[in-house]
Amino acid sequence: MSQQPKIALITGGSRGLGKNMALKLAAKGRDVIFTYHSKQNAAQTTVEEINALGRKAVALQLDIRQSNRFAEFAQTVREILQHQWNATGFDYLINNAGSGIVKTFEQTTEEDFNRMVDEHIKAPYFLTQALLPLLKDEGRVLNISSGLTRMVFPGYSAYAIMKTAVEAFTLYLAKELGPRRIRVNTLAPGAIETDFGGGAVRDNQDLNQRIAAITALGRVGVPDDIGGAVAAIFADDAGWINAQRIEVSGGQGL
């Protein structure tokens, strides 16, 4: 009788860091459920790439700003688990989805601020709450933060304070879910070459080189750096890592 594969649920898994996380976990033998916002074709491509690695994947549409949909989404996940895996729960939750904003404090509007709250505080908080009955005992939660909670760059105040809240959320969640032996950690990427924030780190060579110059390893990060770290944190023998902020930045800002 074959062993039930471990299943990861990743928000924002159709592109960027979320996609890389999904592929790295699939390469380690994990199956994946992931959400996408609107790019269905990109999501289907990710499904096919995971399938090509010999793993099963399901893409589900979700706007993380619509917290009133989370109960419905959790029911959909329950049905998918039953139909696709004959399972009642999943093993790993990665709260990854969300956008960035690059505006000075003076330029940031209340609308900008509220969008950051919805995406980076309300979404992980209440989506995790909705999915908690499906998360297996001894499972794991990984909340994605940012190196910007440690390093200060003008223009990121709204985004960075939301991620600071995420890091506090991780600590409380680890404490409260401890009786179920669920491990909860924060992963804080440094500057990465993706389309996040309009692709500035990837496409602006001056910015790219300035960040590389203040990074111990002499370059900015790429998606493989983050996906690989996530796969390592979710390794079977890494279960004693709990309630930690793990920065993956190559030594940025030292």
mmCIF file of all heavy atoms in Angstrom, residues 193-241:
data_model
loop_
_atom_site.group_PDB
_atom_site.id
_atom_site.type_symbol
_atom_site.label_atom_id
_atom_site.label_comp_id
_atom_site.label_asym_id
_atom_site.label_seq_id
_atom_site.Cartn_x
_atom_site.Cartn_y
_atom_site.Cartn_z
ATOM 1 N N GLU A 193 14.965 38.883 -7.779
ATOM 2 C CA GLU A 193 14.658 39.230 -9.173
ATOM 3 C C GLU A 193 13.363 38.549 -9.619
ATOM 4 O O GLU A 193 13.370 37.420 -10.101
ATOM 5 C CB GLU A 193 15.817 38.805 -10.085
ATOM 6 C CG GLU A 193 17.101 39.591 -9.869
ATOM 7 C CD GLU A 193 18.202 39.171 -10.820
ATOM 8 O OE1 GLU A 193 18.028 38.139 -11.511
ATOM 9 O OE2 GLU A 193 19.243 39.844 -10.865
ATOM 10 N N THR A 194 12.243 39.234 -9.430
ATOM 11 C CA THR A 194 10.939 38.764 -9.916
ATOM 12 C C THR A 194 10.181 39.966 -10.460
ATOM 13 O O THR A 194 10.701 41.086 -10.489
ATOM 14 C CB THR A 194 10.099 38.110 -8.797
ATOM 15 O OG1 THR A 194 9.692 39.132 -7.863
ATOM 16 C CG2 THR A 194 10.876 37.032 -8.064
ATOM 17 N N ASP A 195 8.905 39.756 -10.834
ATOM 18 C CA ASP A 195 8.088 40.879 -11.283
ATOM 19 C C ASP A 195 7.425 41.608 -10.131
ATOM 20 O O ASP A 195 6.652 42.545 -10.330
ATOM 21 C CB ASP A 195 7.038 40.412 -12.296
ATOM 22 C CG ASP A 195 6.098 39.358 -11.727
ATOM 23 O OD1 ASP A 195 6.242 38.995 -10.541
ATOM 24 O OD2 ASP A 195 5.227 38.883 -12.463
ATOM 25 N N PHE A 196 7.740 41.215 -8.885
ATOM 26 C CA PHE A 196 7.159 41.861 -7.699
ATOM 27 C C PHE A 196 7.554 43.335 -7.671
ATOM 28 O O PHE A 196 8.688 43.701 -7.979
ATOM 29 C CB PHE A 196 7.653 41.159 -6.426
ATOM 30 C CG PHE A 196 6.989 41.647 -5.172
ATOM 31 C CD1 PHE A 196 5.731 41.202 -4.823
ATOM 32 C CD2 PHE A 196 7.631 42.542 -4.345
ATOM 33 C CE1 PHE A 196 5.109 41.640 -3.658
ATOM 34 C CE2 PHE A 196 7.020 42.994 -3.173
ATOM 35 C CZ PHE A 196 5.760 42.539 -2.842
ATOM 36 N N GLY A 197 6.581 44.186 -7.300
ATOM 37 C CA GLY A 197 6.866 45.611 -7.246
ATOM 38 C C GLY A 197 7.204 46.203 -8.593
ATOM 39 O O GLY A 197 8.007 47.135 -8.693
ATOM 40 N N GLY A 198 6.605 45.644 -9.645
ATOM 41 C CA GLY A 198 6.871 46.138 -10.985
ATOM 42 C C GLY A 198 8.167 45.647 -11.580
ATOM 43 O O GLY A 198 8.616 46.141 -12.618
ATOM 44 N N GLY A 199 8.786 44.661 -10.925
ATOM 45 C CA GLY A 199 10.031 44.092 -11.452
ATOM 46 C C GLY A 199 11.247 44.973 -11.266
ATOM 47 O O GLY A 199 12.254 44.807 -11.972
ATOM 48 N N ALA A 200 11.198 45.902 -10.280
ATOM 49 C CA ALA A 200 12.274 46.880 -10.133
ATOM 50 C C ALA A 200 13.627 46.228 -9.870
ATOM 51 O O ALA A 200 14.637 46.589 -10.495
ATOM 52 C CB ALA A 200 11.939 47.855 -9.010
ATOM 53 N N VAL A 201 13.674 45.256 -8.963
ATOM 54 C CA VAL A 201 14.962 44.629 -8.621
ATOM 55 C C VAL A 201 15.513 43.863 -9.821
ATOM 56 O O VAL A 201 16.727 43.857 -10.076
ATOM 57 C CB VAL A 201 14.797 43.689 -7.410
ATOM 58 C CG1 VAL A 201 16.087 42.909 -7.151
ATOM 59 C CG2 VAL A 201 14.407 44.497 -6.177
ATOM 60 N N ARG A 202 14.644 43.265 -10.594
ATOM 61 C CA ARG A 202 15.059 42.488 -11.762
ATOM 62 C C ARG A 202 15.469 43.379 -12.932
ATOM 63 O O ARG A 202 16.464 43.111 -13.619
ATOM 64 C CB ARG A 202 13.908 41.582 -12.189
ATOM 65 C CG ARG A 202 14.188 40.698 -13.410
ATOM 66 C CD ARG A 202 12.892 40.082 -13.915
ATOM 67 N NE ARG A 202 11.949 41.116 -14.330
ATOM 68 C CZ ARG A 202 10.635 40.925 -14.429
ATOM 69 N NH1 ARG A 202 10.102 39.748 -14.136
ATOM 70 N NH2 ARG A 202 9.832 41.916 -14.817
ATOM 71 N N ASP A 203 14.715 44.461 -13.174
ATOM 72 C CA ASP A 203 14.856 45.221 -14.411
ATOM 73 C C ASP A 203 15.677 46.497 -14.284
ATOM 74 O O ASP A 203 16.205 46.991 -15.285
ATOM 75 C CB ASP A 203 13.470 45.568 -14.954
ATOM 76 C CG ASP A 203 12.622 44.331 -15.233
ATOM 77 O OD1 ASP A 203 13.214 43.270 -15.497
ATOM 78 O OD2 ASP A 203 11.388 44.428 -15.152
ATOM 79 N N ASN A 204 15.757 47.043 -13.082
ATOM 80 C CA ASN A 204 16.527 48.273 -12.871
ATOM 81 C C ASN A 204 17.949 47.890 -12.486
ATOM 82 O O ASN A 204 18.225 47.528 -11.343
ATOM 83 C CB ASN A 204 15.861 49.123 -11.787
ATOM 84 C CG ASN A 204 16.540 50.473 -11.587
ATOM 85 O OD1 ASN A 204 17.763 50.589 -11.687
ATOM 86 N ND2 ASN A 204 15.750 51.479 -11.282
ATOM 87 N N GLN A 205 18.861 47.972 -13.447
ATOM 88 C CA GLN A 205 20.229 47.500 -13.194
ATOM 89 C C GLN A 205 20.954 48.313 -12.139
ATOM 90 O O GLN A 205 21.770 47.782 -11.387
ATOM 91 C CB GLN A 205 21.016 47.497 -14.507
ATOM 92 C CG GLN A 205 20.620 46.374 -15.445
ATOM 93 C CD GLN A 205 20.700 45.009 -14.767
ATOM 94 O OE1 GLN A 205 21.764 44.613 -14.293
ATOM 95 N NE2 GLN A 205 19.574 44.303 -14.715
ATOM 96 N N ASP A 206 20.655 49.610 -12.060
ATOM 97 C CA ASP A 206 21.281 50.428 -11.019
ATOM 98 C C ASP A 206 20.851 49.957 -9.638
ATOM 99 O O ASP A 206 21.686 49.773 -8.738
ATOM 100 C CB ASP A 206 20.909 51.893 -11.222
ATOM 101 C CG ASP A 206 21.491 52.786 -10.133
ATOM 102 O OD1 ASP A 206 22.738 52.884 -10.049
ATOM 103 O OD2 ASP A 206 20.712 53.369 -9.364
ATOM 104 N N LEU A 207 19.556 49.723 -9.457
ATOM 105 C CA LEU A 207 19.041 49.226 -8.180
ATOM 106 C C LEU A 207 19.601 47.838 -7.899
ATOM 107 O O LEU A 207 20.027 47.538 -6.767
ATOM 108 C CB LEU A 207 17.513 49.181 -8.214
ATOM 109 C CG LEU A 207 16.825 48.593 -6.978
ATOM 110 C CD1 LEU A 207 17.142 49.422 -5.741
ATOM 111 C CD2 LEU A 207 15.314 48.524 -7.212
ATOM 112 N N ASN A 208 19.615 46.987 -8.911
ATOM 113 C CA ASN A 208 20.132 45.628 -8.752
ATOM 114 C C ASN A 208 21.571 45.653 -8.250
ATOM 115 O O ASN A 208 21.934 44.947 -7.299
ATOM 116 C CB ASN A 208 20.024 44.892 -10.090
ATOM 117 C CG ASN A 208 20.333 43.423 -9.992
ATOM 118 O OD1 ASN A 208 21.457 43.029 -9.713
ATOM 119 N ND2 ASN A 208 19.332 42.589 -10.241
ATOM 120 N N GLN A 209 22.390 46.496 -8.855
ATOM 121 C CA GLN A 209 23.797 46.556 -8.488
ATOM 122 C C GLN A 209 24.011 47.174 -7.108
ATOM 123 O O GLN A 209 24.905 46.749 -6.367
ATOM 124 C CB GLN A 209 24.576 47.325 -9.555
ATOM 125 C CG GLN A 209 24.675 46.565 -10.876
ATOM 126 C CD GLN A 209 25.205 47.416 -12.010
ATOM 127 O OE1 GLN A 209 25.736 48.511 -11.790
ATOM 128 N NE2 GLN A 209 25.065 46.927 -13.247
ATOM 129 N N ARG A 210 23.176 48.151 -6.752
ATOM 130 C CA ARG A 210 23.302 48.753 -5.420
ATOM 131 C C ARG A 210 22.969 47.750 -4.330
ATOM 132 O O ARG A 210 23.616 47.713 -3.282
ATOM 133 C CB ARG A 210 22.391 49.983 -5.318
ATOM 134 C CG ARG A 210 22.971 51.214 -6.021
ATOM 135 C CD ARG A 210 22.207 52.477 -5.680
ATOM 136 N NE ARG A 210 20.931 52.540 -6.359
ATOM 137 C CZ ARG A 210 19.747 52.636 -5.745
ATOM 138 N NH1 ARG A 210 19.699 52.660 -4.422
ATOM 139 N NH2 ARG A 210 18.625 52.700 -6.423
ATOM 140 N N ILE A 211 21.942 46.930 -4.564
ATOM 141 C CA ILE A 211 21.596 45.899 -3.565
ATOM 142 C C ILE A 211 22.677 44.828 -3.505
ATOM 143 O O ILE A 211 23.073 44.390 -2.425
ATOM 144 C CB ILE A 211 20.222 45.288 -3.888
ATOM 145 C CG1 ILE A 211 19.129 46.355 -3.745
ATOM 146 C CG2 ILE A 211 19.936 44.097 -2.980
ATOM 147 C CD1 ILE A 211 17.770 45.915 -4.239
ATOM 148 N N ALA A 212 23.178 44.425 -4.675
ATOM 149 C CA ALA A 212 24.258 43.431 -4.701
ATOM 150 C C ALA A 212 25.471 43.908 -3.911
ATOM 151 O O ALA A 212 26.144 43.124 -3.228
ATOM 152 C CB ALA A 212 24.643 43.124 -6.149
ATOM 153 N N ALA A 213 25.732 45.209 -3.975
ATOM 154 C CA ALA A 213 26.913 45.767 -3.304
ATOM 155 C C ALA A 213 26.801 45.718 -1.779
ATOM 156 O O ALA A 213 27.827 45.725 -1.086
ATOM 157 C CB ALA A 213 27.149 47.202 -3.765
ATOM 158 N N ILE A 214 25.573 45.655 -1.250
ATOM 159 C CA ILE A 214 25.406 45.594 0.205
ATOM 160 C C ILE A 214 25.007 44.187 0.673
ATOM 161 O O ILE A 214 24.509 44.015 1.782
ATOM 162 C CB ILE A 214 24.372 46.626 0.694
ATOM 163 C CG1 ILE A 214 22.984 46.353 0.089
ATOM 164 C CG2 ILE A 214 24.834 48.045 0.388
ATOM 165 C CD1 ILE A 214 21.861 47.140 0.732
ATOM 166 N N THR A 215 25.227 43.212 -0.193
ATOM 167 C CA THR A 215 24.896 41.823 0.122
ATOM 168 C C THR A 215 26.179 41.010 0.242
ATOM 169 O O THR A 215 27.040 41.076 -0.642
ATOM 170 C CB THR A 215 23.982 41.219 -0.967
ATOM 171 O OG1 THR A 215 22.786 42.016 -1.059
ATOM 172 C CG2 THR A 215 23.603 39.786 -0.634
ATOM 173 N N ALA A 216 26.298 40.266 1.320
ATOM 174 C CA ALA A 216 27.546 39.543 1.593
ATOM 175 C C ALA A 216 27.951 38.615 0.449
ATOM 176 O O ALA A 216 29.140 38.475 0.149
ATOM 177 C CB ALA A 216 27.421 38.754 2.898
ATOM 178 N N LEU A 217 26.981 37.986 -0.204
ATOM 179 C CA LEU A 217 27.294 37.058 -1.288
ATOM 180 C C LEU A 217 27.407 37.742 -2.647
ATOM 181 O O LEU A 217 27.599 37.077 -3.666
ATOM 182 C CB LEU A 217 26.257 35.934 -1.342
ATOM 183 C CG LEU A 217 26.265 35.000 -0.116
ATOM 184 C CD1 LEU A 217 25.219 33.901 -0.271
ATOM 185 C CD2 LEU A 217 27.640 34.394 0.116
ATOM 186 N N GLY A 218 27.269 39.059 -2.681
ATOM 187 C CA GLY A 218 27.618 39.816 -3.868
ATOM 188 C C GLY A 218 26.622 39.821 -5.003
ATOM 189 O O GLY A 218 26.962 40.201 -6.124
ATOM 190 N N ARG A 219 25.377 39.441 -4.749
ATOM 191 C CA ARG A 219 24.340 39.484 -5.789
ATOM 192 C C ARG A 219 22.993 39.595 -5.117
ATOM 193 O O ARG A 219 22.865 39.390 -3.905
ATOM 194 C CB ARG A 219 24.387 38.223 -6.666
ATOM 195 C CG ARG A 219 24.068 36.920 -5.928
ATOM 196 C CD ARG A 219 23.914 35.757 -6.898
ATOM 197 N NE ARG A 219 23.687 34.477 -6.253
ATOM 198 C CZ ARG A 219 22.507 34.012 -5.820
ATOM 199 N NH1 ARG A 219 21.416 34.756 -5.947
ATOM 200 N NH2 ARG A 219 22.409 32.825 -5.262
ATOM 201 N N VAL A 220 21.967 39.919 -5.904
ATOM 202 C CA VAL A 220 20.599 39.847 -5.383
ATOM 203 C C VAL A 220 20.100 38.418 -5.546
ATOM 204 O O VAL A 220 20.709 37.604 -6.250
ATOM 205 C CB VAL A 220 19.667 40.849 -6.094
ATOM 206 C CG1 VAL A 220 20.168 42.268 -5.933
ATOM 207 C CG2 VAL A 220 19.506 40.496 -7.565
ATOM 208 N N GLY A 221 18.986 38.122 -4.910
ATOM 209 C CA GLY A 221 18.468 36.766 -4.961
ATOM 210 C C GLY A 221 17.700 36.467 -6.242
ATOM 211 O O GLY A 221 17.284 37.375 -6.965
ATOM 212 N N VAL A 222 17.512 35.189 -6.503
ATOM 213 C CA VAL A 222 16.674 34.705 -7.602
ATOM 214 C C VAL A 222 15.645 33.750 -7.000
ATOM 215 O O VAL A 222 15.814 33.261 -5.875
ATOM 216 C CB VAL A 222 17.516 33.995 -8.687
ATOM 217 C CG1 VAL A 222 18.473 34.976 -9.349
ATOM 218 C CG2 VAL A 222 18.284 32.810 -8.109
ATOM 219 N N PRO A 223 14.543 33.480 -7.721
ATOM 220 C CA PRO A 223 13.484 32.641 -7.149
ATOM 221 C C PRO A 223 13.965 31.299 -6.614
ATOM 222 O O PRO A 223 13.465 30.825 -5.583
ATOM 223 C CB PRO A 223 12.508 32.484 -8.308
ATOM 224 C CG PRO A 223 12.638 33.774 -9.059
ATOM 225 C CD PRO A 223 14.103 34.100 -9.001
ATOM 226 N N ASP A 224 14.935 30.662 -7.281
ATOM 227 C CA ASP A 224 15.423 29.371 -6.799
ATOM 228 C C ASP A 224 15.986 29.452 -5.380
ATOM 229 O O ASP A 224 15.945 28.465 -4.632
ATOM 230 C CB ASP A 224 16.508 28.833 -7.736
ATOM 231 C CG ASP A 224 15.938 28.130 -8.961
ATOM 232 O OD1 ASP A 224 14.726 27.840 -8.974
ATOM 233 O OD2 ASP A 224 16.702 27.867 -9.896
ATOM 234 N N ASP A 225 16.520 30.603 -5.013
ATOM 235 C CA ASP A 225 17.043 30.756 -3.653
ATOM 236 C C ASP A 225 15.935 30.614 -2.617
ATOM 237 O O ASP A 225 16.153 30.069 -1.523
ATOM 238 C CB ASP A 225 17.703 32.136 -3.490
ATOM 239 C CG ASP A 225 18.926 32.321 -4.370
ATOM 240 O OD1 ASP A 225 19.696 31.358 -4.515
ATOM 241 O OD2 ASP A 225 19.116 33.433 -4.899
ATOM 242 N N ILE A 226 14.758 31.108 -2.946
ATOM 243 C CA ILE A 226 13.645 31.081 -2.000
ATOM 244 C C ILE A 226 12.928 29.735 -2.033
ATOM 245 O O ILE A 226 12.632 29.145 -0.986
ATOM 246 C CB ILE A 226 12.660 32.226 -2.297
ATOM 247 C CG1 ILE A 226 13.394 33.571 -2.303
ATOM 248 C CG2 ILE A 226 11.530 32.235 -1.276
ATOM 249 C CD1 ILE A 226 14.179 33.866 -1.042
ATOM 250 N N GLY A 227 12.639 29.240 -3.234
ATOM 251 C CA GLY A 227 11.988 27.931 -3.324
ATOM 252 C C GLY A 227 12.801 26.842 -2.661
ATOM 253 O O GLY A 227 12.264 25.966 -1.974
ATOM 254 N N GLY A 228 14.113 26.892 -2.844
ATOM 255 C CA GLY A 228 14.985 25.902 -2.208
ATOM 256 C C GLY A 228 14.953 25.991 -0.698
ATOM 257 O O GLY A 228 14.967 24.968 -0.001
ATOM 258 N N ALA A 229 14.899 27.223 -0.173
ATOM 259 C CA ALA A 229 14.829 27.394 1.279
ATOM 260 C C ALA A 229 13.522 26.851 1.839
ATOM 261 O O ALA A 229 13.499 26.214 2.903
ATOM 262 C CB ALA A 229 14.988 28.871 1.631
ATOM 263 N N VAL A 230 12.431 27.087 1.121
ATOM 264 C CA VAL A 230 11.129 26.570 1.571
ATOM 265 C C VAL A 230 11.141 25.048 1.609
ATOM 266 O O VAL A 230 10.681 24.428 2.579
ATOM 267 C CB VAL A 230 10.005 27.088 0.654
ATOM 268 C CG1 VAL A 230 8.699 26.363 0.943
ATOM 269 C CG2 VAL A 230 9.834 28.587 0.833
ATOM 270 N N ALA A 231 11.672 24.425 0.573
ATOM 271 C CA ALA A 231 11.750 22.957 0.551
ATOM 272 C C ALA A 231 12.586 22.442 1.719
ATOM 273 O O ALA A 231 12.260 21.410 2.320
ATOM 274 C CB ALA A 231 12.340 22.491 -0.775
ATOM 275 N N ALA A 232 13.657 23.163 2.065
ATOM 276 C CA ALA A 232 14.499 22.739 3.190
ATOM 277 C C ALA A 232 13.761 22.868 4.519
ATOM 278 O O ALA A 232 13.844 21.985 5.382
ATOM 279 C CB ALA A 232 15.790 23.571 3.211
ATOM 280 N N ILE A 233 13.024 23.950 4.685
ATOM 281 C CA ILE A 233 12.278 24.160 5.930
ATOM 282 C C ILE A 233 11.204 23.096 6.110
ATOM 283 O O ILE A 233 10.895 22.680 7.236
ATOM 284 C CB ILE A 233 11.661 25.572 5.939
ATOM 285 C CG1 ILE A 233 12.770 26.630 6.039
ATOM 286 C CG2 ILE A 233 10.656 25.746 7.071
ATOM 287 C CD1 ILE A 233 12.297 28.035 5.731
ATOM 288 N N PHE A 234 10.637 22.627 4.990
ATOM 289 C CA PHE A 234 9.591 21.609 5.055
ATOM 290 C C PHE A 234 10.136 20.183 4.967
ATOM 291 O O PHE A 234 9.358 19.230 4.847
ATOM 292 C CB PHE A 234 8.579 21.821 3.940
ATOM 293 C CG PHE A 234 7.621 22.955 4.201
ATOM 294 C CD1 PHE A 234 6.885 23.510 3.167
ATOM 295 C CD2 PHE A 234 7.445 23.469 5.470
ATOM 296 C CE1 PHE A 234 5.995 24.545 3.393
ATOM 297 C CE2 PHE A 234 6.565 24.499 5.716
ATOM 298 C CZ PHE A 234 5.839 25.051 4.678
ATOM 299 N N ALA A 235 11.436 20.020 5.032
ATOM 300 C CA ALA A 235 12.003 18.674 5.023
ATOM 301 C C ALA A 235 11.519 17.899 6.242
ATOM 302 O O ALA A 235 11.266 18.472 7.310
ATOM 303 C CB ALA A 235 13.529 18.747 5.015
ATOM 304 N N ASP A 236 11.377 16.599 6.087
ATOM 305 C CA ASP A 236 10.848 15.773 7.172
ATOM 306 C C ASP A 236 11.665 15.886 8.456
ATOM 307 O O ASP A 236 11.120 15.810 9.556
ATOM 308 C CB ASP A 236 10.786 14.309 6.730
ATOM 309 C CG ASP A 236 9.695 14.059 5.693
ATOM 310 O OD1 ASP A 236 8.750 14.871 5.614
ATOM 311 O OD2 ASP A 236 9.800 13.052 4.964
ATOM 312 N N ASP A 237 12.988 16.066 8.317
ATOM 313 C CA ASP A 237 13.837 16.092 9.502
ATOM 314 C C ASP A 237 14.138 17.511 9.983
ATOM 315 O O ASP A 237 15.075 17.730 10.755
ATOM 316 C CB ASP A 237 15.148 15.333 9.257
ATOM 317 C CG ASP A 237 15.887 15.817 8.025
ATOM 318 O OD1 ASP A 237 15.399 16.748 7.365
ATOM 319 O OD2 ASP A 237 16.959 15.257 7.725
ATOM 320 N N ALA A 238 13.324 18.498 9.547
ATOM 321 C CA ALA A 238 13.493 19.881 10.000
ATOM 322 C C ALA A 238 12.340 20.317 10.900
ATOM 323 O O ALA A 238 12.046 21.502 11.023
ATOM 324 C CB ALA A 238 13.608 20.820 8.804
ATOM 325 N N GLY A 239 11.693 19.365 11.536
ATOM 326 C CA GLY A 239 10.492 19.653 12.305
ATOM 327 C C GLY A 239 10.706 20.345 13.629
ATOM 328 O O GLY A 239 9.737 20.764 14.271
ATOM 329 N N TRP A 240 11.957 20.511 14.068
ATOM 330 C CA TRP A 240 12.206 21.184 15.344
ATOM 331 C C TRP A 240 12.374 22.691 15.150
ATOM 332 O O TRP A 240 12.557 23.441 16.096
ATOM 333 C CB TRP A 240 13.427 20.581 16.033
ATOM 334 C CG TRP A 240 13.527 20.866 17.499
ATOM 335 C CD1 TRP A 240 14.564 21.468 18.150
ATOM 336 C CD2 TRP A 240 12.571 20.553 18.529
ATOM 337 N NE1 TRP A 240 14.314 21.565 19.501
ATOM 338 C CE2 TRP A 240 13.096 21.002 19.756
ATOM 339 C CE3 TRP A 240 11.312 19.936 18.526
ATOM 340 C CZ2 TRP A 240 12.414 20.856 20.962
ATOM 341 C CZ3 TRP A 240 10.639 19.790 19.726
ATOM 342 C CH2 TRP A 240 11.194 20.251 20.925
ATOM 343 N N ILE A 241 12.310 23.146 13.902
ATOM 344 C CA ILE A 241 12.333 24.576 13.622
ATOM 345 C C ILE A 241 10.927 25.113 13.831
ATOM 346 O O ILE A 241 9.993 24.703 13.147
ATOM 347 C CB ILE A 241 12.800 24.855 12.177
ATOM 348 C CG1 ILE A 241 14.182 24.268 11.921
ATOM 349 C CG2 ILE A 241 12.813 26.363 11.902
ATOM 350 C CD1 ILE A 241 14.614 24.334 10.465
#
